[in-house]
């Protein structure tokens, strides 16, 4: 019986045709009438999700798993070609597609454009089929071809298996990578992650969030116009132009092609509209996207490919310019498996990309025929001709007056061997050494020059120190020095730190959030006021803190012990030889100040230059007393600062319109010494960043208490766009409206007990609130803003003061 069964199986196998092993089919797709190549034509194996596209030369390669198989070749405006391949057929298979006449009938519109009805149906049907799409798996191929003004400078290709889940998102497994010899990229790159699905509601491009053409509210934001029809076989394709109704909107212009009856996008060519603007020094940022979709006989319309042309130019005028940076991206998807279970192991950790180390190590997958979209002829030449010496830093080397100071070669290839030898000869600790000069000029130190050093000593320890000499001082006061140490310990994502500092030397009597001794030097040297008062401070401080990563918060406690002594004015020199002497440096009460401190900071790191908006809350408490601390001073000081950035208009842009707020409040009990007085910053000469009262000149306000509110709203380029002044908008000019309201108080109830009242030279303090408003023109030379500020009298609602108008400049708040 067993023998009969075996004989039966042999007979069955003998009469069933055996499927041939896979082979690679290659060829070109042409226009049958003109012989022109057809780039991005789609080739699909009938009955499967497998396929590919032609390259820029119309060439394709495709792995066919089994034979016989039927290839389907499609290109909008041409008759679809079908060809069945059997064992023994030639691997070279060219197709010549017959064009179908493009029809542009005269459209008489008595109501809404027909494109509106078509796109309404596209949006509605997208809701239905996307609701049924739960997951998919696909093979993704991506190629970046990077070029400058003269030609291709590098190519990088990646091949992955991509997995998408509605709830858990996208993951990829890298199967192969290939790049030109001049790229030394240690990090593995994905493929599908770099692909934009133009069927999505919102499209990310260059930091913008553009409204997709099939967004649920697309009909509200876009003008759709039927331009004509084409055919794929007997199916009509509608060509519809796309343009935003409002040029200020972050939206696309271009064309979409919709398949009749299915009401699905099958071909898209889009680019961002006029609102796609960038600040200086970006002179040009052009993007064009092209994409095709197919349902592969199923219900869901999935990307077949993605092609992007990106061109970026960066220039600082004659000072510094870079060659055009061009990226030609080609991506292709094949072998979709739709609504299939995905391995839970993919989502077991947060890593987006996993690596098939065996496949990548072999470095052969992308060399096989049929895996990648074929290289164009220039790309083949680039792969053959580019060697390891032709780095990107050479291809994109800048020109201009400052070009010699720009080094794009982070690895230092030119001196790599010598640098490595030097590093091996010297102790490792010196490889972690950071040096900074200490330079400033003022009416007390005159010229001060010094050097500070910081060393990463390893084992979580950082050491620092430095010293300097002041030309205007003597009797030992001319020397200054300091030393620091910090130890950090990781606790998961959090950090514990302990730090200490010893210092002796000239210090500012009051602390400014905005200005440094170095910055103040320019005001003094160019004939302006010396913003600070000074004293000599010698002592030490210690701080211990805990940084909580989850809340972006730092809690710290500390102790400070310092002795203060008076310094006198030693010079009034400026570069113009002015005869007006600078004001005397007032004396300070001597003694030893010992205090305990506590602080809590939540949010962004403080940004003294005002270049970036921030969200931050900081509370500082300081207590000094003769009792337990044996201090010569008796006070408790509280200070609160609150910074907030709120995006307002054009929220989809890279840099939306924004309202910035800064609140400063402080109060004290006891007798607050001069060294710990609160201040309201004013202008430093003509320089006035956000957080300063721009119409307050000379010296800041001081007091036992402080309350200040600063605000500004940056309308970015919108005013110029609305006025049709696009040239100004393209140069990144901004309009800003700002204001400030501040005052300090000095307790005069008991003058003999208040050091601020009994001060030899009375501090600057207003009688009431100081109010101001103004207008800024920002983006000059890319980084500066011109301010026009007007002080209002204390009634605020009353008329302008006749002499409270000032002009100055500040740093442009780019982000």
């Amino acid at each position: 019986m067993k023998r009969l069964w075996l004989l039966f199986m042999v007979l069955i196998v003998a009469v069933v045709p055996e499927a041939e092993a896979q082979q690679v089919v290659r060829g070109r797709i042409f226009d049958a009438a003109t012989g022109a190549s057809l780039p991005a034509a789609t080739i699909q194996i009938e009955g499967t999700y497998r396929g590919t596209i032609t390259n820029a030369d119309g060439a394709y390669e495709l792995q066919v798993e089994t034979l016989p198989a039927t290839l389907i070749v499609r290109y909008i405006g041409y008759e679809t070609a079908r060809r069945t391949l059997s064992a023994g057929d030639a691997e070279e298979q060219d197709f010549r597609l017959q064009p179908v006449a493009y029809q542009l009938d005269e459209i008489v519109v008595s109501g809404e454009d027909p494109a509106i009805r078509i796109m309404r149906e596209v949006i509605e049907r997208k809701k239905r089929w996307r609701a049924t799409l739960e997951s998919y798996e696909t093979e993704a191929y991506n190629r970046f071809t990077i070029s400058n003004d003269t030609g291709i400078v590098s190519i990088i290709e990646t091949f992955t298996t991509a997995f998408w889940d509605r709830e858990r998102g996208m993951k990829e497994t890298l199967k192969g990578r290939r790049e030109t010899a001049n790229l030394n990229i240690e990090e593995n790159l994905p493929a599908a992650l770099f692909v934009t699905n133009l069927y999505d509601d919102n499209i990310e491009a260059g930091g913008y969030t553009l409204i997709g053409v099939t967004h649920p509210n697309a009909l509200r934001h876009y003008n759709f116009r039927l331009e004509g029809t084409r055919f794929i076989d007997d199916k009509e394709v509608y060509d519809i132009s796309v343009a935003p109704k409002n040029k200020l909107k972050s939206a696309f212009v271009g064309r979409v092609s919709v398949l009749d009856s299915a009401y699905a996008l099958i071909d898209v060519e889009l680019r961002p509209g006029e609102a796609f603007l960038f600040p200086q020094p970006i002179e040009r940022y052009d993007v064009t996207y092209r994409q095709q979709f197919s349902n592969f006989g199923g219900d869901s319309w999935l990307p077949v490919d993605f092609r992007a042309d990106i061109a970026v130019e960066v220039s600082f005028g004659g000072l510094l310019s870079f060659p055009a940076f061009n990226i030609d991206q080609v991506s292709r998807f094949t072998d979709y498996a739709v609504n299939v279970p995905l391995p839970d192991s993919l989502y077991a950790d947060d890593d987006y990309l996993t690596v098939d180390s065996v496949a990548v190590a072999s470095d052969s997958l992308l060399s096989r025929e049929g895996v990648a979209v074929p290289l164009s002829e220039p790309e083949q030449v680039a792969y053959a001709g580019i060697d390891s010496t032709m780095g990107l830093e050479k291809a994109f080397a800048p020109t201009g007056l400052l070009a010699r100071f720009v080094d794009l070669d982070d690895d230092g290839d030119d001196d790599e061997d010598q640098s490595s030898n030097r590093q091996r000869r010297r102790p490792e600790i010196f490889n972690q050494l950071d040096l900074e000069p200490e330079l400033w000029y003022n009416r007390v130190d005159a010229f001060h020059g010094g050097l500070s050093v910081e060393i990463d000593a390893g084992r979580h320890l950082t050491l620092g120190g430095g010293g300097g000499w002041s030309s205007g001082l003597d009797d030992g006061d001319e020397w200054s020095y300091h030393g620091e140490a910090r130890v950090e310990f990781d606790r998961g994502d959090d950090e514990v730190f302990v730090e200490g500092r010893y210092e002796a030397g000239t210090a500012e009597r009051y602390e400014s959030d905005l200005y440094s001794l170095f910055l103040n030097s320019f005001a003094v040297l160019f004939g302006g006021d010396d913003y600070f008062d000074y004293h000599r401070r010698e002592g030490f401080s210690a701080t211990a803190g805990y940084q909580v990563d989850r809340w972006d918060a730092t809690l710290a406690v500390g102790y400070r012990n310092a002795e203060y002594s008076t310094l006198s004015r030693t010079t009034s020199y400026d570069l113009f030889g002015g005869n007006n002497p600078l004001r005397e440096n007032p004396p300070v009460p001597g003694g030893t100040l010992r205090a305990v401190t506590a602080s809590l900071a939540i949010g962004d790191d403080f940004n003294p230059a005002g270049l970036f908006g921030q969200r931050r809350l900081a509370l500082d408490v300081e207590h000094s007393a003769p009792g337990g601390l044996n201090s010569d001073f008796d006070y408790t000081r509280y200070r609160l600062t609150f910074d907030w950035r709120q995006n307002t208009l054009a929220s989809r842009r890279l840099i939306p319109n924004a309202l910035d707020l800064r609140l400063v409040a402080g109060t004290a009990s006891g007798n607050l010494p001069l060294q710990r007085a609160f201040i309201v910053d004013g202008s430093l000469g003509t320089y006035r960043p956000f957080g300063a009262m721009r119409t307050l000149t000379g010296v800041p306000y001081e007091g036992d208490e402080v309350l200040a509110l600063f605000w500004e709203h940056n309308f970015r380029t919108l005013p110029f766009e609305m006025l049709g002044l696009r040239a100004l908008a393209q140069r990144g000019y901004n309009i800003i409206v700002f204001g400030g309201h501040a005052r300090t108080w000095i307790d005069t109830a008991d003058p003999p007990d208040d050091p601020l009242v009994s001060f030899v030279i009375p501090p600057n303090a207003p009688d009431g609130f100081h109010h101001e408003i103004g207008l800024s023109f920002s983006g000059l030379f890319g980084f500066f803003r011109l301010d026009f500020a007007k002080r209002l009298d204390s009634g605020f609602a009353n008329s302008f003061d006749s002499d409270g108008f000032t002009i100055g400049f500040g740093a442009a708040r780019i982000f």
Side-chain angles (χ1 to χ4, degrees), residues 514-715:
L514 305 177
Y515 307 127
S516 65
L517 289 173
F518 175 74
L519 197 59
N520 178 59
S521 304
F522 292 95
V524 180
L525 286 170
F526 285 94
D529 293 321
D530 192 335
Y531 188 78
F532 293 106
D533 290 339
Y534 305 91
H535 54 217
R536 183 171 178 84
R537 182 172 66 206
E538 181 172 1
F540 68 91
S541 62
T543 305
Y546 192 91
Q547 295 178 339
V548 184
D549 180 74
R550 179 181 178 185
W551 299 329
D552 201 11
T554 301
L555 178 64
V557 294
Y559 173 77
R560 65 173 60 176
N561 183 322
E563 293 188 1
Y564 298 91
S565 57
T566 297
L567 297 173
S568 300
R569 184 189 69 190
T570 64
T571 184
S572 292
Y573 173 80
D574 64 62
L575 295 177
F576 300 107
N579 296 321
N580 296 324
L582 294 170
R583 71 183 190 281
E584 293 292 339
N585 188 58
V588 297
T592 301
L593 190 155
R594 298 183 176 93
V596 291
T597 62
S599 64
L600 173 66
I602 303 174
D604 303 326
D605 293 335
F606 180 64
N607 166 35
L611 292 177
F612 307 97
Q614 56 191 5
R615 294 183 175 183
R616 174 183 171 86
L617 174 67
L619 176 63
D620 298 281
V621 180
E622 180 178 315
H623 175 69
S624 178
L629 295 173
N630 195 26
S631 175
D632 292 331
F633 302 92
D634 185 7
Y635 68 91
T636 302
R637 184 179 188 269
Y638 309 88
R639 186 172 187 261
L640 172 73
T641 59
F642 176 70
D643 295 273
W644 190 259
R645 155 67 64 87
Q646 183 62 51
N647 292 337
T648 55
L649 307 174
S651 60
R652 287 178 171 268
R653 295 194 177 192
L654 170 65
I655 311 176
N657 286 200
L659 173 66
D660 287 298
L661 299 172
R662 177 170 175 80
L663 174 68
V664 178
T667 188
S669 61
N671 293 319
L672 191 66
L674 294 168
Q675 297 93 317
R676 305 305 296 149
F678 296 106
I679 71 165
V680 173
D681 276 305
S683 298
L684 183 62
T686 57
Y687 176 67
R688 36 254 234 123
F690 179 69
M693 296 298 294
R694 292 167 168 89
T695 54
L696 172 61
T697 58
V699 295
Y701 290 139
E702 295 184 70
D704 300 305
E705 297 178 316
V706 64
L707 181 62
L709 174 65
F710 307 94
W711 58 269
E712 69 176 31
H713 189 278
N714 194 332
F715 290 95

Side-chain angles (χ1 to χ4, degrees), residues 147-163:
S147 61
N148 60 13
D149 295 329
T150 60
I152 295 174
V153 298
S154 62
I155 303 171
I156 181 167
E157 301 171 88
T158 51
F159 185 88
T160 70
T161 299
F163 307 87

